[in-house]
């Protein structure tokens, strides 16, 4: 073990692409991770390769449906570590969107939601919606 090399320091001070290029497995997934835009108005979803407005209920609800569809289609891709990583990324994106939708439900009680879901428990909702597919 190389105890003289500070991995955290290197990763925090290196450009994103320099760290990404040195990873052993992340090159097998989307090149851009799920992240917020600099102005905080959009969320890029790595699992879907598109962005959503974080205040748009309709876009967020559609993204949940798209993630579930993508997850189900990936289930048939085998049991490799790469497949499991891709499934985990989809589930993480699902949970991020649920967190945003839950916040919108709490802030805007009168806002129209097309789905009548409890977004405060994303893991439970994910399992329930998968069972319904």
């Amino acid at each position: 073990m190389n105890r003289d090399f500070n991995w955290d320091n290197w990763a925090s001070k290196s450009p994103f692409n320099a760290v990404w290029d040195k990873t052993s497995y992340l090159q097998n997934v989307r090149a851009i991770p799920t992240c917020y835009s600099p102005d905080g108005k959009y969320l890029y979803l790595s699992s879907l390769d598109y962005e959503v407005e974080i205040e748009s209920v309709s876009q967020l609800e559609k993204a949940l449906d798209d993630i579930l569809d993508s997850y189900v289609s990936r289930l048939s891709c085998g049991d490799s570590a790469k497949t499991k990583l891709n499934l985990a990324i989809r589930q993480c994106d699902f949970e991020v969107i649920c967190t945003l939708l839950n916040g919108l439900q709490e802030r805007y009680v009168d806002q129209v939601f097309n789905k009548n879901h409890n977004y405060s428990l994303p893991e439970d909702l994910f399992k329930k919606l998968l069972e319904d597919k």
Side-chain angles (χ1 to χ4, degrees):
M1 190 183 309
N2 184 359
R3 296 191 185 266
D4 295 331
F5 187 76
N6 186 329
W7 291 97
D8 292 330
N9 187 46
W10 171 75
S12 68
K13 293 185 178 182
S14 297
F16 175 80
N17 286 340
V19 175
W20 197 269
D21 288 342
K22 299 286 185 202
T23 63
S24 59
Y25 63 89
L26 292 176
Q27 295 157 349
N28 293 322
V29 296
R30 300 237 25 95
I32 301 172
T34 295
C35 57
Y36 292 95
S37 62
D39 64 5
K41 294 180 180 179
Y42 299 92
L43 176 68
Y44 172 79
L45 298 162
S46 180
S47 62
L48 298 174
D49 191 25
Y50 68 68
E51 70 180 22
V52 291
E53 291 179 50
I54 66 167
E55 296 284 326
S56 171
V57 171
S58 61
Q59 287 183 25
L60 293 169
E61 288 180 334
K62 180 182 180 326
L64 282 185
D65 289 339
D66 291 348
I67 288 171
L68 285 167
D69 290 343
S70 176
Y71 188 95
V72 169
S73 72
R74 281 280 177 170
L75 284 173
S76 63
C77 292
D79 200 30
S80 69
K82 180 181 175 183
T83 298
K84 289 178 183 178
L85 178 60
N86 277 297
L87 291 172
I89 289 169
R90 282 158 177 73
Q91 190 167 356
C92 288
D93 282 357
F94 183 93
E95 291 181 12
V96 169
I97 294 170
C98 282
T99 300
L100 291 170
L101 285 166
N102 187 57
L104 291 173
Q105 279 182 329
E106 290 176 357
R107 272 186 287 149
Y108 307 114
V109 178
D110 296 333
Q111 189 161 356
V112 176
F113 285 77
N114 296 319
K115 315 273 185 193
N116 188 23
H117 296 314
N118 179 0
Y119 297 113
S120 67
L121 300 169
E123 289 180 27
D124 293 344
L125 179 60
F126 186 79
K127 289 176 188 172
K128 179 193 174 304
L129 294 176
L130 268 183
E131 290 171 1
D132 294 345
K133 288 253 172 216

